[in-house]
Amino acid sequence: TDLAKSMAEMAKKRKQVEQDLMETEEENSSIITSAMDGIISIDSNGVVRSLNLSAERLFGYKMEELIGESITVLMPEPYKSEHSNYIQSYIRTGEKKVIGLLSEVKGKRKDGSIFPLEVSISEVHKDGHPIFVGIVRDIGERKKTENYLGRYSSELKMANEELEKFVYTASHDLQEPLRKVIIFGDRLKETCSKKLEEHETDNIHRM
């Protein structure tokens, strides 16, 4: 009786654990599906295993159009040619060039348009096989802002340089006539000070 009771308790706990795992898996799936960033997973051959709704919107493909296809359909050159070699090289040597890092690359939409992406790739294992998960974000608007700020900074630098040149030129052009005013003012003070009223001498001094 005690054994049967113990086995029933174990079965109940196992069932609860299975239920908790199922709920956790559903919750994780829901989080991934609704994430703002695109999430795409591929196998070691670069074949797409899954993607979320944001990735669909980002690249213009439906999930069923990409599952089972090479991830390179989302890449323009030279990324497309380099990708397969990189995965095989990583699996062979373990040398990380992209995995674990935040990188800026180019993506290719279904309509053929090219756009800048920020991507971070991580590696997980399932049943002893590596799966690569990429989180991708369209940074087109950010790049436009950076380019605008870069042009504005260049224009501002040019304007400052032109202003400095103008100030230098104006200062240089004024120096000679000002020197002459001082020289002739001094001569007037020397030759006419005895003939002038006090306020007239003061005016020359002020000049």
Side-chain angles (χ1 to χ4, degrees), residues 116-127:
L117 279 175
E118 193 173 70
V119 58
S120 61
I121 300 172
S122 57
E123 179 187 6
V124 296
H125 286 81
K126 186 173 183 180
D127 300 327

Side-chain angles (χ1 to χ4, degrees), residues 70-88 106:
S70 171
I71 189 66
T72 56
V73 300
L74 306 179
M75 300 177 181
E77 294 292 357
Y79 305 102
K80 186 173 183 177
S81 299
E82 295 171 351
H83 184 264
S84 296
N85 292 335
Y86 171 72
I87 290 182
Q88 296 308 316
K106 295 291 179 63

Side-chain angles (χ1 to χ4, degrees), residues 95-160:
E95 182 183 356
K96 296 181 179 180
K97 294 181 180 178
V98 177
I99 295 171
L101 303 174
L102 189 64
S103 307
E104 285 190 15
V105 297
K106 295 291 179 63
K108 183 179 180 181
R109 295 190 178 94
K110 185 178 180 180
D111 63 9
S113 59
I114 310 297
F115 65 106
L117 279 175
E118 193 173 70
V119 58
S120 61
I121 300 172
S122 57
E123 179 187 6
V124 296
H125 286 81
K126 186 173 183 180
D127 300 327
H129 299 290
I131 296 173
F132 302 97
V133 180
I135 299 176
V136 293
R137 175 178 297 176
D138 184 350
I139 56 173
E141 289 302 317
R142 191 178 80 190
K143 298 301 287 186
K144 286 180 183 178
T145 301
E146 288 175 356
N147 290 336
Y148 169 77
L149 291 175
R151 289 196 303 272
Y152 179 78
S153 178
S154 296
E155 291 172 0
L156 185 60
K157 183 179 179 181
M158 289 177 61
N160 284 335

Side-chain angles (χ1 to χ4, degrees), residues 42-73:
I42 62 173
D43 62 19
S44 58
N45 294 314
V47 175
V48 177
R49 292 172 52 94
S50 65
L51 64 152
N52 66 352
L53 292 175
S54 292
E56 287 186 353
R57 290 191 292 268
L58 191 59
F59 291 97
Y61 287 94
K62 293 295 183 183
M63 185 181 296
E64 54 270 21
E65 294 179 286
L66 286 179
I67 301 296
E69 296 293 328
S70 171
I71 189 66
T72 56
V73 300

